[in-house]
Amino acid sequence: MSRFTLSLLTLTTLLSGCNLMPVYQQPSPPVSARFSGDSTTATAMPVADMGWRDVFTGPALRRVIELALANNRDLRVAILNIEKDRATYRVQDAALFPTIKASGNSSASRTPADQSQTGQALTSHSYSATLGFSSYELDLFGRVHSLSAQALEEFLSTAENRRSTQISLIAEVATDYLTLASDRDLLKLAQDTLASQEHTYALDQRTFELGSSSALTLSQAQTSVETARVDVEKYTSQVAQDINALVLVVGTDLPEDLLPKSLPARSTADASPLASIPPGLPSDLLQRRPDILKAERDLKAANAYIGAARAAFYPSITLTASAGTSSASLGNMFKGGSGTWSFAPQISVPIFDDGINKANLASAQADRDIYVADYEKAIQTAFREVSDALAQRNTLGRQLDAQQALVDATAKSYRLSQARFNQGVDSYLNVLDSQRSLYTAQQDLISTQLSRFTNLVTFYKTLGGGWIDTTGKPVATLTAAAKY
């Protein structure tokens, strides 16, 4: 049996040298060599190698991200999909080798006397033990090999999808966290404004009762109070919704001490490593984005399937073989002369299929071309996302300065209009206009501060960061040896 098996495996190895799978060639990126500027300065550490802890430095935010990585259900599903596709790949890869099974049989039968040639009842026994395989396909033209390569690329594609899910999760948690902080700032601004307007209204009401101001002035002051009260209720509701959204994406309840009270100081954004990345980034950084790597894995899988479609034009040979021993007596099963064997090769040659094989090959080639277009589109989309993030980053600092200057100017205008009203020079309407302008400018300042922080989050996500943890090791490592 060992010689037979060894000879068969040797024959299989010799016949499996032909592979009709096309040689994979990576498409050229359909984008410019650089994102912006002419600088050739490189960063000390590629963005894709930065740890998410290096960017998100707040202890509370780090803890929230850790909870999300441990509890988010979308990420959990992505991990389980990897295990599923890993098993699928192992099943397909196993087809490259014969499945050898051992079996043992025992049977007994009785023949009644009136049906026996000897006129006496007979009892017969049969025992057998065999070792063999069935329907093993000799991979003469690489069909099984191509299907195994396709399954491997699909498995690796799922692994890249898991990475993309994690990066998106970290960015979503950070964005939701910052949005909550921003809305709490807006709520505090509305509460402070309401308290201020209630105080002003109380003074106006007293002067009205003393006959020093008109009913119109009192009514105008009341509109400011009610407007601020509406905003307080609106932002109170928005803060509650923000907390619910953050809890959902994290996947577990969050204690109050982990929730932000307000946006971080501007210096935190200015100190971020993403804020100091020079212009002129090479666009080949995009090759490390997991969504682009996934698109390339899908392309490789489609390329591998073409080999299986081509192999369908050629003959296929399957083997069924077994060897063992058989005897009417259990004690004689392994004595000389009891050996048995069988060998049943089968060949299938395509003669006429009304163009099915040609259509399948054309479909496989069209799929490959579709995945080429999808891969190129993924690169173009990523290029635009990074370029947009860079363009916004380069202007947000100046926009924040301008917005702060606008707040200072409107605050001064409000103080002057209030002083002029107190001296009887202007009407209260000018005070209301200045007050609304100041309130709007303060709201816009908070929104601009939020945009500054979320732009850094978006920039990090678009460059494919967030995969490395603080120790410099991948959060999860998936490797599979390429066999082709």
Side-chain angles (χ1 to χ4, degrees):
M1 177 62 185
S2 59
R3 290 184 178 180
F4 171 75
T5 304
L6 181 60
S7 300
L8 180 60
L9 293 177
T10 302
L11 176 63
T12 302
T13 302
L14 293 175
L15 293 177
S16 299
C18 182
N19 193 332
L20 302 176
M21 185 171 61
V23 177
Y24 173 74
Q25 294 182 344
Q26 185 183 49
S28 300
V31 294
S32 303
R34 291 189 174 276
F35 292 114
S36 63
D38 298 320
S39 172
T40 58
T41 304
T43 57
M45 179 189 296
V47 176
D49 290 340
M50 287 182 182
W52 59 266
R53 296 175 185 273
D54 298 327
V55 177
F56 307 108
T57 56
L61 177 55
R62 283 183 175 181
R63 180 56 183 156
V64 172
I65 292 176
E66 288 173 352
L67 290 173
L69 294 177
N71 295 282
N72 181 265
R73 270 45 177 191
D74 291 335
L75 184 60
R76 189 173 300 176
V77 169
I79 294 173
L80 292 174
N81 280 333
I82 292 178
E83 298 305 318
K84 176 184 175 181
D85 283 3
R86 188 204 305 271
T88 301
Y89 162 64
R90 291 179 62 185
V91 170
Q92 183 60 60
D93 191 58
L96 290 169
F97 306 95
T99 301
I100 300 176
K101 296 181 179 180
S103 63
N105 294 298
S106 173
S107 64
S109 62
R110 181 181 183 278
T111 304
D114 60 352
Q115 295 181 10
S116 172
Q117 294 180 352
T118 63
Q120 296 180 349
L122 297 176
T123 301
S124 62
H125 297 272
S126 176
Y127 303 92
S128 65
T130 59
L131 185 68
F133 54 87
S134 63
S135 301
Y136 169 61
E137 180 178 350
L138 293 179
D139 199 18
L140 302 178
F141 300 100
R143 189 188 77 87
V144 179
H145 199 82
S146 296
L147 292 177
S148 176
Q150 179 192 20
L152 174 61
E153 293 298 339
E154 290 175 346
F155 158 58
L156 295 177
S157 173
T158 307
E160 296 299 343
N161 185 65
R162 180 255 190 273
R163 292 181 58 196
S164 182
T165 301
Q166 176 172 310
I167 292 172
S168 297
L169 172 61
I170 292 174
E172 184 177 1
V173 170
T175 300
D176 289 350
Y177 185 91
L178 293 168
T179 300
L180 172 59
S182 171
D183 285 340
R184 281 189 160 177
D185 281 343
L186 290 171
L187 174 59
K188 186 177 185 304
L189 174 63
Q191 291 172 334
D192 292 344
T193 301
L194 175 60
S196 174
Q197 294 310 309
E198 286 179 335
H199 178 70
T200 301
Y201 177 70
L203 294 177
D204 290 340
Q205 190 173 31
R206 184 171 180 81
T207 58
F208 171 73
E209 293 172 350
L210 296 175
S212 300
S213 64
S214 66
L216 175 61
T217 300
L218 182 63
S219 178
Q220 289 172 334
Q222 186 178 4
T223 61
S224 298
V225 172
E226 301 305 330
T227 299
R229 183 175 287 115
V230 168
D231 283 351
V232 167
E233 297 303 326
K234 179 179 70 173
Y235 289 120
T236 298
S237 173
Q238 188 59 52
V239 166
Q241 294 179 58
D242 291 342
I243 294 175
N244 293 337
L246 186 59
V247 168
L248 175 62
V249 72
V250 171
T252 186
D253 290 335
L254 294 171
E256 181 61 32
D257 61 334
L258 291 182
L259 299 179
K261 302 299 185 292
S262 62
L263 283 172
R266 178 179 176 180
S267 58
T268 303
D270 295 337
S272 170
L274 298 177
S276 59
I277 292 178
L281 288 173
S283 61
D284 58 7
L285 286 175
L286 296 177
Q287 302 297 323
R288 302 183 63 175
R289 271 183 49 149
D291 58 334
I292 293 179
L293 292 175
K294 179 185 183 301
E296 186 173 16
R297 293 295 184 185
D298 292 339
L299 171 58
K300 289 182 177 180
N303 186 75
Y305 184 71
I306 292 177
R310 287 176 175 176
F313 288 89
Y314 298 91
S316 64
I317 297 177
T318 56
L319 302 178
T320 299
S322 65
T325 180
S326 178
S327 174
S329 171
L330 184 61
N332 295 329
M333 274 189 62
F334 298 101
K335 291 185 178 180
S338 61
T340 63
W341 62 269
S342 67
F343 179 63
Q346 180 180 357
I347 184 170
S348 175
V349 181
I351 296 177
F352 176 75
D353 61 5
D354 196 24
I356 293 178
N357 287 337
K358 288 184 178 179
N360 285 335
L361 177 58
S363 176
Q365 291 172 333
D367 280 341
R368 189 263 316 275
D369 294 340
I370 290 172
Y371 281 113
V372 168
D374 287 343
Y375 173 70
E376 293 175 341
K377 179 63 178 297
I379 292 179
Q380 290 175 333
T381 301
F383 186 87
R384 179 193 169 176
E385 290 175 352
V386 175
S387 298
D388 286 348
L390 279 170
Q392 190 181 30
R393 188 198 68 170
N394 294 337
T395 60
L396 274 172
R398 297 190 295 272
Q399 182 179 344
L400 195 56
D401 291 336
Q403 189 65 42
Q404 182 62 62
L406 178 60
V407 169
D408 295 340
T410 52
K412 182 178 181 180
S413 175
Y414 172 64
R415 291 193 300 270
L416 292 174
S417 62
Q418 184 69 52
R420 289 174 65 85
F421 169 73
N422 293 337
Q423 294 173 5
V425 178
D426 286 335
S427 68
Y428 194 70
L429 184 60
N430 290 333
V431 177
L432 288 178
D433 288 340
S434 298
Q435 182 189 77
R436 293 191 189 100
S437 297
L438 174 60
Y439 185 46
T440 301
Q442 290 172 324
Q443 289 177 317
D444 291 343
L445 178 61
I446 294 174
S447 298
T448 305
Q449 291 171 333
L450 174 62
S451 297
R452 173 65 169 153
F453 282 103
T454 55
N455 169 255
L456 295 177
V457 175
T458 301
F459 187 36
Y460 191 51
K461 176 184 175 182
T462 57
L463 284 178
W467 181 240
I468 306 297
D469 71 6
T470 189
T471 63
K473 298 179 181 179
V475 176
T477 303
L478 292 169
T479 58
K483 299 183 178 180
Y484 54 98

